[in-house]
């Protein structure tokens, strides 16, 4: 297969490494997930256009403290974070999305150096181009080399690129979506592209009272429910599904023993759903669950263990004023 040509202008270079037809990937993963026991969907399929807008709305909800808490940390400590990595730096971000919080670190770095290269990685080439052009309008001394890719393909490409001292970002508690083995695998891959003296700023939500955690994923307005159920609407739209969204409901609860929020879609009646493009009929019992996502919560000991197991040393942690969220500086050991 011919490698896609990068999109480029004077200050922006975008490498589009997404080779697979997204609809093919969705079809294969939906067939596999609905044939499994228990049934499951992959959380990456939340983020179609509507799903992405719903997630932006979730971040504004009073119950969803995570975004505000991380913003508070970056607003208060961005200069300290930037200064914690010595020398002229390149900024690298995994899962950059709209890069709204990243602006605080871009501004801090540009206060201490004449120019900055920002290297974001995100699965959506459209989102990358949009956010990159907005950033370039705001910061004349910024250059961007972006990678439209999944995490591991992006890291493989980044490993080939010579860079200055690097501050890497994995914000928004995205590490929470990985189980222990997946988190270790991702951070080892991250460590493999960093050099001694480089660092990773890792956002991680913290273990806390069950009522606070469960409220964040069961908001009163039902936006999180709409976000979760939107995956059924997407299957209806893109794969010819017959899911009746009123016959399913959102469920999220804290599993204290496992240290995670577990998110499901529950069938409220016994029913059959057909997905025409898969030539598939799926039976659901009343009360049967489809697992859609986990969100792991951390304590300081867990973050230190994760760092040590993956080739980092846990250098320091910044908290929001209520100590709900942590931004952790992991040094490439």
């Amino acid at each position: 297969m011919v490698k896609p040509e990068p999109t480029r202008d004077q200050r922006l270079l975008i490498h589009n490494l997404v080779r697979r037809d997204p609809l093919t990937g969705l079809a294969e993963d939906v067939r596999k997930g609905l044939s499994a026991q228990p049934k499951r969907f992959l959380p990456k399929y939340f983020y179609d256009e509507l799903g992405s807008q719903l997630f932006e709305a979730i971040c504004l909800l009073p119950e969803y403290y995570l975004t505000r808490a991380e913003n508070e940390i970056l607003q208060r400590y961005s200069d300290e974070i930037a200064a914690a990595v010595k020398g002229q730096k390149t900024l690298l971000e995994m899962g950059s999305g709209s890069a709204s919080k990243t602006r605080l670190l871009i501004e801090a770095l540009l206060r201490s150096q004449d120019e900055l290269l920002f290297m974001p990685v995100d699965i959506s080439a459209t989102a990358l181009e949009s956010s990159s052009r907005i950033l370039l309008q705001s910061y004349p001394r910024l250059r961007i080399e972006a990678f439209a890719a999944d995490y591991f393909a992006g890291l493989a490409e980044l490993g080939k690129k010579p860079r200055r001292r690097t501050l890497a970002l994995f914000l928004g508690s995205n590490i929470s979506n990985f189980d222990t083995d997946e988190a270790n695998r991702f951070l080892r891959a991250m460590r493999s592209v960093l050099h001694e003296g480089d660092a990773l700023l890792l956002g991680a939500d913290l273990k806390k009272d069950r009522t606070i955690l469960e409220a964040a994923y069961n908001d009163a307005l039902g936006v999180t429910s709409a976000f979760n159920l939107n995956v059924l609407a997407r299957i209806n739209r893109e794969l010819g599904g017959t899911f009746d969204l009123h016959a399913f409901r959102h469920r999220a609860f804290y599993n204290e023993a496992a240290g995670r929020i577990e998110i499901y879609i529950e069938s409220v009646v016994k029913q059959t759903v057909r997905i025409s493009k898969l030539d598939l009929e799926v039976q659901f019992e009343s009360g049967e669950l489809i697992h859609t996502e986990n969100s792991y919560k951390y304590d300081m000991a867990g973050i230190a263990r994760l760092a040590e197991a993956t080739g980092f040393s846990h250098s320091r942690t910044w908290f929001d004023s209520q100590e709900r969220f942590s931004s952790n500086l992991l040094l490439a050991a």
Side-chain angles (χ1 to χ4, degrees):
M1 182 179 292
V2 178
K3 186 173 180 178
E5 286 297 313
T7 299
R8 62 170 80 225
D9 62 24
Q10 192 172 13
R11 294 165 54 215
L12 174 62
L13 175 60
I14 300 177
H15 304 274
N16 191 342
L17 307 178
V18 179
R19 310 284 185 81
R20 194 183 192 196
D21 178 355
L23 190 60
T24 301
L26 173 66
E28 291 172 2
D29 289 334
V30 167
R31 181 188 297 279
K32 189 181 298 183
L34 290 178
S35 302
Q37 285 298 331
K39 297 179 174 67
R40 59 178 173 79
F41 291 137
L42 296 179
K44 66 181 179 180
Y45 293 116
F46 284 140
Y47 298 96
D48 63 352
E49 186 176 354
L50 176 56
S52 296
Q53 291 172 352
L54 286 167
F55 184 72
E56 293 292 327
I58 287 169
C59 292
L60 301 175
L61 293 168
E63 299 95 334
Y64 195 79
Y65 59 85
L66 290 85
T67 303
R68 289 190 305 281
E70 188 174 35
N71 267 329
E72 180 191 328
I73 294 168
L74 297 178
Q75 286 168 352
R76 184 176 295 181
Y77 300 114
S78 60
D79 286 314
E80 275 186 39
I81 293 166
V85 181
K86 304 302 179 188
Q88 300 285 297
K89 290 170 280 289
T90 291
L91 187 65
L92 185 160
E93 183 172 12
M94 306 303 296
S96 56
S98 65
S100 56
K101 287 177 285 195
T102 317
R103 284 174 165 265
L104 297 164
L105 289 161
I106 289 172
E107 290 168 7
L109 289 165
L110 286 173
R111 283 193 286 271
S112 62
Q113 59 190 68
D114 292 336
E115 62 174 6
L116 176 65
L117 173 62
F118 177 43
M119 304 180 82
V121 177
D122 197 89
I123 194 64
S124 170
T126 304
L128 267 179
E129 180 157 9
S130 173
S131 63
S132 294
R133 293 195 183 281
I134 291 167
L135 288 172
L136 291 172
Q137 288 173 359
S138 301
Y139 306 109
R141 293 182 288 134
L142 184 68
R143 292 185 298 114
I144 298 177
E145 184 171 1
F147 299 83
D150 66 31
Y151 292 145
F152 292 98
L155 286 169
E157 199 65 22
L158 283 164
K160 304 171 188 175
K161 300 284 181 179
R163 297 183 311 275
R164 287 177 169 178
R165 182 65 51 85
T166 298
L167 173 59
L169 309 176
F170 197 45
L171 303 179
S173 203
N174 284 325
I175 195 69
S176 295
N177 296 329
F178 297 145
D179 66 23
T180 302
D181 289 344
E182 291 167 336
N184 281 319
R185 178 174 171 244
F186 170 76
L187 288 180
R188 287 192 190 103
M190 188 83 241
R191 174 64 185 87
S192 72
V193 306
L194 298 178
H195 305 293
E196 187 176 351
D198 292 347
L200 170 65
L201 186 71
L202 180 70
D205 193 22
L206 299 174
K207 293 179 179 178
K208 58 183 70 66
D209 184 85
R210 169 189 296 274
T211 57
I212 297 171
L213 287 169
E214 292 188 345
Y217 297 87
N218 292 285
D219 62 278
L221 287 175
V223 182
T224 311
S225 174
F227 174 71
N228 198 19
L229 294 174
N230 179 58
V231 73
L232 304 183
R234 181 175 183 182
I235 293 168
N236 287 350
R237 186 171 60 252
E238 298 185 26
L239 298 178
T242 61
F243 284 101
D244 176 1
L245 272 61
H246 297 291
F248 292 86
R249 67 181 175 187
H250 165 76
R251 281 197 61 195
F253 57 85
Y254 184 51
N255 180 334
E256 192 161 357
R260 69 191 182 203
I261 289 282
E262 297 181 4
I263 303 174
Y264 298 90
I265 296 170
E266 180 182 4
S267 175
V268 298
V269 294
K270 185 174 182 177
Q271 57 185 307
T272 301
V273 173
R274 177 160 179 78
I275 304 173
S276 63
K277 290 187 179 178
L278 302 183
D279 193 22
L280 181 68
E281 279 196 352
V282 186
Q283 309 295 324
F284 290 92
E285 296 299 322
S286 178
E288 186 174 359
L289 300 175
I290 309 168
H291 181 241
T292 56
E293 190 170 25
N294 290 324
S295 183
Y296 284 82
K297 307 303 172 184
Y298 284 87
D299 54 25
M300 290 299 97
I303 291 166
R305 284 194 300 271
L306 191 60
E308 185 178 357
T310 55
F312 290 95
S313 63
H314 185 192
S315 173
R316 71 179 286 202
T317 297
W318 293 269
F319 300 101
D320 66 290
S321 57
Q322 297 183 48
E323 297 193 357
R324 300 162 296 178
F325 194 91
S326 66
S327 293
N328 304 276
L329 192 73
L330 310 185
L331 298 180

